[in-house]
Amino acid sequence: MKYGYFDDRRKEYVIQTPDTPLPWINYLGSNQFFSLLSNTGGGYSFYRDAKLRRITRYRYNNVPNDIGSRFFYIKDQDEIWSPCYKPVKSKLDYYSCRHGMGYSIISGSRNSIVASITFFVPLKDNCELQHVTLTNEGDSKKSFDLFGVVEWCLWNAVDDAANYQRNLSIGEVEVENSVVYHKSEYRERRNHYGFYSVNADTCGFDTNRDSFLGADKDWSLPDRVRSGQSTDSIASGWYPIASHQISISLEPGETKELVFILGYIENEKNDKWDSPNKINKTKAKEMISKYESLSSVNKAFSELAGYWEDLLSNYQVHSALPQLDRMVNIWNQYQCMATFNMSRSASYYETGTGRGMGFRDSCQDLLGFVHMIPEQARERIIDIASIQFEDGSTYHQYQPLTKQGNADIGGGFNDDPLWLIGCTTAYIRETGDMSILDEMVPFNNVKGTEKPLLEHLKRSVYYTINHKGPHNLPLIGRADWNDCLNLNCFSEEPGESFQTCENIDNKKAESIFIGAMFVKYAGEYADLCSRLGNTEEADYVNKEIQKMTEAIETSGWDGSWFLRAYDSYGDPVGSHICEEGQIYIEPQGFCVMAGIGIQNGNAKKALDSVEERLTTPYGIQLLNPCYTKYHINLGEITSYPPGYKENGGIFCHNNPWVSIAHTVIGQRNEAFESYKRISPAFTEEISDIHRTEPYVYSQMIAGREAPNYGEAKNSWLTGTASWSFVNVSQFILGIRADYDGLRIEPCLPDELNEITIIREFRDARFNIHINNRKTGKIQIMVDGEKIKGTLIPLIENKKLYTVEVDV
Amino acid sequence: MKYGYFDDRRKEYVIQTPDTPLPWINYLGSNQFFSLLSNTGGGYSFYRDAKLRRITRYRYNNVPNDIGSRFFYIKDQDEIWSPCYKPVKSKLDYYSCRHGMGYSIISGSRNSIVASITFFVPLKDNCELQHVTLTNEGDSKKSFDLFGVVEWCLWNAVDDAANYQRNLSIGEVEVENSVVYHKSEYRERRNHYGFYSVNADTCGFDTNRDSFLGADKDWSLPDRVRSGQSTDSIASGWYPIASHQISISLEPGETKELVFILGYIENEKNDKWDSPNKINKTKAKEMISKYESLSSVNKAFSELAGYWEDLLSNYQVHSALPQLDRMVNIWNQYQCMATFNMSRSASYYETGTGRGMGFRDSCQDLLGFVHMIPEQARERIIDIASIQFEDGSTYHQYQPLTKQGNADIGGGFNDDPLWLIGCTTAYIRETGDMSILDEMVPFNNVKGTEKPLLEHLKRSVYYTINHKGPHNLPLIGRADWNDCLNLNCFSEEPGESFQTCENIDNKKAESIFIGAMFVKYAGEYADLCSRLGNTEEADYVNKEIQKMTEAIETSGWDGSWFLRAYDSYGDPVGSHICEEGQIYIEPQGFCVMAGIGIQNGNAKKALDSVEERLTTPYGIQLLNPCYTKYHINLGEITSYPPGYKENGGIFCHNNPWVSIAHTVIGQRNEAFESYKRISPAFTEEISDIHRTEPYVYSQMIAGREAPNYGEAKNSWLTGTASWSFVNVSQFILGIRADYDGLRIEPCLPDELNEITIIREFRDARFNIHINNRKTGKIQIMVDGEKIKGTLIPLIENKKLYTVEVDV
């Protein structure tokens, strides 16, 4: 069952009912001001940091759910309704929500009044614009009141929900004309304030939540809306809001437009005040006046559209499968940008108050956005590398504001260092910019410790070489990619973090997964060394890779699939001899991606085992059989009920690895099946089962053993986005940036006979047409000339490559 | 305006409308299981620790407000209503809430059905009992459905509201007969579970919140109640609840009674399971079977009444002022027990997720409950002293579960050490138990560092002696009693804690308040030394006290009042030469309490200044004039808007000090006026202005400069409770425990002509009758014999003292 449809021309998903199974959201903002916005108007805004600079208030896990922080009401005589359906929830004659690229348009109508609100964050200003269009589609004149309301957060989202002793006494506002200024704590150390304005005269306002809501204290029917009479309340402590009441008259057929601005302003410390206790509003007034006219609002909207057009234009496919095209051309890339902007901080499942940027998350996310924003990717690589320690190990997370490693969680996740190589080579392949390897980068952000980035990569490689266990496989540390497989944890304390608790480290617990990572990424490092002429280093590392490959083949093979690990007792994890958790997905995908087992047939055997034991119609489960008991030697993975999360859920992030693995051994159709199973556009029809948004990936889909089999959770902020894009764009469609040119190695399924791809790469445009003749061989013509191999070499100043491919 | 009345005979406050200005709450529980319960059924339950072992879910600062975590619904044909008014909020024909000692009875009726629910936590079991009585007062038979519902918290209240990635996948329940067992995380490291049962057959249940609530997801009208048809849902992840649906038929005049139990059970680690994945329910079934019968429920209720009767019987007054009697005999003592049980952890203003036990809070709270529970007071003194450091300084807080000092907040609050003396001497005076001074107590909980408690008191005294500033006054450190006067902080970073930030410590900032504390409490220490025969130590300390008194008289006197402090520049704080904050309340009360300025008339001058500059009809403000700007050298106090909290709010905790000071200089009527101004029972008539509960003290009442002048905040968990009880019981009524007997020094206002007091003291009962002849002299007859002075010496084995007092 679907709840809407894709409008590909407008790059929108159109939701046709407010009753989606869960709130279906969009992200607004591309720079410093961000908003989360659900299809019924829920969500919140923040400036740069979702914890420390929360602008509006939102309550997670609330009942009634997803109410806040912006509210629109129409009071039309005795009828009260919301154009976004919520919070009033009066039945609408018409409803739609169009989630587009950095904007959403929510429309509702009732009794011949049509209200449509376009929400977006302009590229150049720290504000959310709410462009309201009101039309009288009836035969008689309509007079009604519109209320636009926001609820302020007292800046720090954690304190805001905890420190009531203080909070209930600090709220302060100013009101001037049609603007409410939120200035809590501005009197003391803050030099920023928020404002909510409307470009019209108001007939009343409220800034005190209880005055606005009245006795029932319910957003669904505030007293002030019911009575149609604002109280012009001035908040003093408690819960400051901003409500504007505007009287509207519309002749039949008439349309009026209003612009509300939710803005954020910073002043210089010595320029905070206009007069005693009156804040300096100069910058706010500039912003308000800038968007006073509709033409400037429309211009800002066009600029935003142009921005996204540019970003997405670097990779465009045209095929006979609209689902494929819309994922590749629009939504998958769009989601990759969301992971760039948010990392894992703020979604409807991540409160924005918890963790910083993950080391491995950021490295992997980058694979999905590097082709769109290479300069910002470069910056991020330097930030990430700066939290590496001198021994090659790394902090597991860092704070985006301070860029310091997060000491609370610390390090000890032994896969982390190797990911740095993967993102660095991806950046260089995309841009050709080898100079990044010479960039001086500190260790642990300590001044004076700077070494070239290449040295950081080397330390990553040597960290693994120097930390091996009894089977010559890499020690796992606190965990590898699978944060929940905690082999040195042995936690007995309820609520204790499995990630930070480390009770033993007897140098026994080993990870085959890290072994495979080593083969892949140390290989990329060795390749870099060769390119830089350091063949001695390349040879040495290649020998180490050979040793690791042998170790995996000797001690990491279970007979029909790759083992997952050895625990601290030296017992295998993910083996047929285990009672539960006999096979894990990660090493199957990653070993084959790294080229292990290709020649001896183990690769195929492993993927056959995945098909047989892990694959479901909704995707590939992480392991099988699920753990039904807590295994203290395995950690958090066994703490989840069977079928959820890492305990046998379909943890989507690793599904593309299997799909890529299929391409590696030429299983074209299997690769594409695997891709489609978790691809949102391809699974749109089962939106009622997945329940999350059908335009973005979710982190997890409940596995076969879960009562809610097939139900997805944690949409948006997941590494699934980048790996899926890597999979489809580089391996299935097969267009890969490479050091010396563009590599074309499609691995198309039977159902795709022909595709064209436009790829902007290093200042040139590649128009690629591929005929899928299912030959298994690749023949490439560039501008009418056949080339050898699959790499299109770059020719200086050449701006256009016309490429014809037969496969 | 009032919203109810005191029922003194039943020791209840009876609320007659659900529309109180704020939720008016009660505490249930006296041992390990606690519940907060508002007059409309809101609140939540926890076991021992409100953060780590939260049993049911409650959302602070929510809209609609105060909904959760227990819900009752009656579906009577098409009528749906809640006996507690919320969550349905249907109009009731009758409503009342009786908050009593450890229980509350909420009753509602509609359409001739009367539902009354008695909520209490029995003394001996970890559960909340909900005893529901349903009566048909109509003329015809009634058939309707009752729903009893709770929403589970996933144990750790902070994670529960933050870690959705994990939370949404871990919820698990079992259902058996009429019991829902909540067992999230029991499969792994927890060995505790919750349950919700009813002693009746149910006609349906739900454990999945969304299944119960349906599309609108609103507690006010769940789909399952609207349809009258439960779905027997089994929660798997998301939001587990427990809903029981019971069909009821009542003949005219008939009454039925049901008992719901919200229970908490711990199992031994090796005895967790009945069978695979089925929890061991033995203990739950024992508890359920224990309260199966109404007689055992009624018995438990009687035991609870007896418990409170016992506690309160130690101090009872009978006067012509019912407000006085009900505060002294019932509510003030009751509130003191709440501060014993909760410290500052869980109220409607304290989320229960933040801080531990405060050092100085706990010392002061003890003054109010030591006469009721001396053994527990003794234990607490040892706990508190154990977080003192060897140099005499202390941690500022400790965690009740671990009893370790809280390293996050640390120490450096230079008043802390001296409070230890105050609570220790209070304990000894009450009990005569000098042996506590020999108790071996560690420093900072380090084994092997144990010294007798007396040595800890000594270190407290010497810490002040050794930490003085340029005026020979005590250095203030991070803050003294006034946590918001931060003279070494100089914070410029928004959101930074003023208490933990310490930028400079140039040994200049001094506190006159700590000076006064020193005079008082070092005096008590010297007195103890004399009693123990160590006159040398007593003499030395008395000389130090003399020096301190001189320093205060020389450098702490501003001409008409006592200065508050010197800041880090050496400039006075709380002086007429200051632009803002010219006079502070704390030193005026405490200096006079310590006996400073009595002889030279400064005491009276200071109290006159308080009257003139700080006193309002709602109580005495903390300072005047309020700070309108942020003063970086003064810290948090200047961060509040004028009139709130420490910035010129009526910070009730310190009002009793002024009242006591009045008694010290014989201002009988002024003392009582000061007492009455903030006393809840005396201010019941202005409940609409105060807005908080009229039966307990609030921490703060907004001062004259605040827009919401007179509005109270943060009721229940405030040191105001203990100090007010000390003030009224020991100074105004004048019955004071002393080392060698009971001291009788009434300081009665003119309006009290005669009172009787019953005081249980050291195994004897004192029946005291006082005639207030306003003579200023005290004459005491004990059992018909006149005694010298004001101390009634104790006679061994004497069980009854009949005391006649003329003043």
Side-chain angles (χ1 to χ4, degrees), chain A residues 472-535:
Chain A
N472 289 314
L473 291 163
L475 292 171
I476 194 168
R478 291 186 176 179
D480 60 23
W481 171 87
N482 188 331
D483 266 324
C484 294
L485 185 62
N486 316 109
L487 304 181
N488 293 308
C489 172
F490 288 72
S491 170
E492 305 203 66
E493 189 61 37
E496 184 173 52
S497 162
F498 288 96
Q499 280 72 53
T500 56
C501 158
E502 195 179 353
N503 286 323
I504 61 162
D505 186 7
N506 61 1
K507 312 284 181 223
K508 272 195 157 179
E510 299 168 294
S511 163
I512 281 88
F513 178 79
I514 301 179
M517 281 188 74
F518 181 83
V519 173
K520 178 167 169 55
Y521 292 123
E524 295 189 1
Y525 167 73
D527 190 19
L528 273 184
C529 291
S530 301
R531 289 183 169 270
L532 294 165
N534 189 348
T535 48

Side-chain angles (χ1 to χ4, degrees), chain A residues 50-69:
Chain A
K51 174 181 171 185
L52 297 176
R53 218 49 72 78
R54 187 80 63 102
I55 294 168
T56 47
R57 186 179 278 157
Y58 182 81
R59 292 166 195 79
Y60 281 81
N61 185 11
N62 207 356
V63 177
N65 75 325
D66 192 32
I67 300 290
S69 56

Side-chain angles (χ1 to χ4, degrees), chain A residues 458-650:
Chain A
K458 176 174 181 173
R459 304 242 178 145
S460 290
V461 169
Y462 283 75
Y463 183 80
T464 305
I465 293 173
N466 295 330
H467 292 82
K468 293 193 199 163
H471 301 87
N472 289 314
L473 291 163
L475 292 171
I476 194 168
R478 291 186 176 179
D480 60 23
W481 171 87
N482 188 331
D483 266 324
C484 294
L485 185 62
N486 316 109
L487 304 181
N488 293 308
C489 172
F490 288 72
S491 170
E492 305 203 66
E493 189 61 37
E496 184 173 52
S497 162
F498 288 96
Q499 280 72 53
T500 56
C501 158
E502 195 179 353
N503 286 323
I504 61 162
D505 186 7
N506 61 1
K507 312 284 181 223
K508 272 195 157 179
E510 299 168 294
S511 163
I512 281 88
F513 178 79
I514 301 179
M517 281 188 74
F518 181 83
V519 173
K520 178 167 169 55
Y521 292 123
E524 295 189 1
Y525 167 73
D527 190 19
L528 273 184
C529 291
S530 301
R531 289 183 169 270
L532 294 165
N534 189 348
T535 48
E536 194 180 343
E537 173 77 355
D539 290 348
Y540 175 76
V541 171
N542 278 323
K543 272 182 208 140
E544 287 292 331
I545 292 169
Q546 188 50 40
K547 283 203 258 175
M548 186 69 80
T549 306
E550 283 161 19
I552 293 175
E553 286 176 343
T554 310
S555 308
W557 181 250
D558 192 54
S560 300
W561 56 80
F562 293 99
L563 282 176
R564 178 64 180 84
Y566 287 94
D567 69 14
S568 280
Y569 301 123
D571 292 330
V573 179
S575 161
H576 70 286
I577 68 166
C578 302
E579 201 188 330
E580 313 189 302
Q582 294 176 337
I583 173 171
Y584 278 66
I585 190 174
E586 305 101 308
Q588 321 313 328
F590 230 87
C591 284
V592 182
M593 279 167 69
I596 303 164
I598 311 283
Q599 286 171 354
N600 63 13
N602 283 353
K604 183 165 182 310
K605 274 191 205 162
L607 295 181
D608 287 348
S609 297
V610 167
E611 177 68 25
E612 185 189 333
R613 295 183 164 246
L614 296 176
T615 302
T616 82
Y618 299 131
I620 309 166
Q621 298 197 184
L622 193 141
L623 57 78
N624 185 268
C626 301
Y627 295 102
T628 60
K629 297 191 209 89
Y630 178 54
H631 296 245
I632 196 168
N633 55 318
L634 303 181
E636 184 165 14
I637 196 163
T638 66
S639 81
Y640 284 103
Y644 290 119
K645 296 280 287 182
E646 285 84 346
N647 188 14
I650 296 153

Side-chain angles (χ1 to χ4, degrees), chain A residues 201-436:
Chain A
D201 288 338
T202 64
C203 58
F205 65 86
D206 273 288
T207 70
N208 181 28
R209 191 176 85 198
D210 283 353
S211 304
F212 180 72
L213 295 179
D216 265 4
K217 299 194 174 65
D218 197 331
W219 287 113
S220 69
L221 191 50
D223 272 12
R224 295 307 109 221
V225 178
R226 177 159 32 193
S227 70
Q229 191 49 65
S230 297
T231 67
D232 295 2
S233 57
I234 298 292
S236 172
W238 298 100
Y239 320 109
I241 63 165
S243 166
H244 296 298
Q245 179 179 0
I246 303 120
S247 291
I248 310 275
S249 279
L250 291 177
E251 298 297 332
E254 189 184 359
T255 291
K256 280 191 177 154
E257 297 182 60
L258 292 168
V259 180
F260 291 83
I261 311 176
L262 172 65
Y264 170 88
I265 299 292
E266 285 184 356
N267 279 331
E268 294 298 313
K269 281 212 167 167
N270 51 11
D271 202 21
K272 282 174 67 169
W273 302 100
D274 254 6
S275 58
N277 285 323
K278 295 286 171 201
I279 60 176
N280 177 351
K281 307 180 182 68
T282 310
K283 291 186 189 172
K285 286 177 179 172
E286 279 169 20
M287 199 189 287
I288 291 165
S289 118
K290 176 169 176 187
Y291 296 110
E292 187 74 25
S293 80
L294 293 175
S295 64
S296 61
V297 173
N298 293 332
K299 180 161 167 277
F301 190 71
S302 302
E303 285 169 2
L304 183 67
Y307 167 80
W308 279 106
E309 196 68 40
D310 271 5
L311 283 185
L312 301 179
S313 64
N314 295 294
Y315 198 118
Q316 292 282 308
V317 65
H318 301 283
S319 77
L321 288 174
Q323 299 99 319
L324 177 67
D325 293 7
R326 63 176 65 119
M327 283 316 299
V328 172
N329 300 343
I330 305 170
W331 294 99
N332 197 346
Q333 295 197 65
Y334 186 61
Q335 185 176 2
C336 287
M337 284 303 294
T339 66
F340 167 71
N341 286 323
M342 298 290 128
S343 182
R344 301 292 174 273
S345 78
S347 75
Y348 263 38
Y349 305 85
E350 301 272 12
T351 59
T353 62
R355 35 178 303 189
M357 313 276 287
F359 189 99
R360 79 162 84 90
D361 292 334
S362 299
C363 290
Q364 292 174 88
D365 288 348
L366 190 139
L367 306 177
F369 61 72
V370 61
H371 67 291
M372 291 186 273
I373 46 168
E375 296 81 5
Q376 286 149 295
R378 189 184 208 274
E379 247 177 72
R380 184 149 297 174
I381 291 168
I382 305 301
D383 288 348
I384 297 168
S386 303
I387 60 163
Q388 188 174 36
F389 296 104
E390 303 221 9
D391 72 350
S393 70
T394 77
Y395 271 117
H396 194 49
Q397 294 175 10
Y398 71 99
Q399 299 310 119
L401 277 182
T402 63
K403 304 203 171 169
Q404 298 291 313
N406 180 341
D408 287 344
I409 178 126
F413 298 79
N414 284 353
D415 63 319
D416 274 333
L418 292 169
W419 292 111
L420 182 61
I421 300 168
C423 70
T424 304
T425 58
Y427 168 77
I428 300 173
R429 287 172 210 254
E430 181 65 34
T431 59
D433 172 21
M434 294 286 276
S435 79
I436 192 175

Side-chain angles (χ1 to χ4, degrees), chain A residues 22 57 59-65 85 89 161-162 164-166 168-170 172 187-190 209 213 216-219 236 238-239 269 277 349-351 491-496 498 628 630 636 638-642 644-645 691 699-700 707-708 711 713-714, chain B residues 22 57 59-65 85 89 161-162 164-166 168-170 172 187-190 209 213 216-219 236 238-239 269 277 349-351 491-496 498 628 630 636 638-642 644-645 691 699-700 707-708 711 713-714:
Chain A
L22 294 166
R57 186 179 278 157
R59 292 166 195 79
Y60 281 81
N61 185 11
N62 207 356
V63 177
N65 75 325
Y85 180 66
K89 295 189 264 187
Y164 296 108
Q165 268 234 38
R166 180 173 166 82
L168 300 185
S169 289
I170 61 172
E172 288 189 286
R187 113 177 13 254
E188 39 133 337
R189 296 162 296 174
R190 296 194 184 274
R209 191 176 85 198
L213 295 179
D216 265 4
K217 299 194 174 65
D218 197 331
W219 287 113
S236 172
W238 298 100
Y239 320 109
K269 281 212 167 167
N277 285 323
Y349 305 85
E350 301 272 12
T351 59
S491 170
E492 305 203 66
E493 189 61 37
E496 184 173 52
F498 288 96
T628 60
Y630 178 54
E636 184 165 14
T638 66
S639 81
Y640 284 103
Y644 290 119
K645 296 280 287 182
R691 303 181 78 222
Q699 179 210 57
M700 195 267 292
N708 302 325
E711 184 184 73
K713 279 177 187 148
N714 210 349
Chain B
L22 294 165
R57 187 179 276 157
R59 294 167 192 80
Y60 281 81
N61 186 14
N62 206 357
V63 178
N65 75 326
Y85 180 66
K89 295 190 265 187
Y164 296 108
Q165 266 233 40
R166 179 172 168 82
L168 299 185
S169 290
I170 61 171
E172 289 189 286
R187 111 175 17 254
E188 39 133 337
R189 296 162 295 174
R190 295 193 185 274
R209 191 176 85 200
L213 295 178
D216 266 4
K217 297 194 174 65
D218 197 331
W219 287 114
S236 173
W238 298 99
Y239 320 110
K269 283 210 166 169
N277 285 323
Y349 305 85
E350 301 273 13
T351 59
S491 170
E492 303 202 70
E493 189 60 39
E496 184 172 52
F498 289 96
T628 60
Y630 178 53
E636 184 164 15
T638 66
S639 81
Y640 284 103
Y644 290 118
K645 296 279 289 181
R691 303 182 78 223
Q699 178 209 59
M700 196 267 290
N708 301 325
E711 184 183 75
K713 278 177 188 149
N714 209 348

Side-chain angles (χ1 to χ4, degrees), chain B residues 729-731 734-738 741-745 759 791:
Chain B
S729 64
Q730 299 183 29
F731 291 90
I735 312 301
R736 274 205 293 287
D738 212 337
L742 196 63
R743 193 167 291 279
I744 316 281
E745 292 184 355
R759 179 70 161 92
L791 185 78

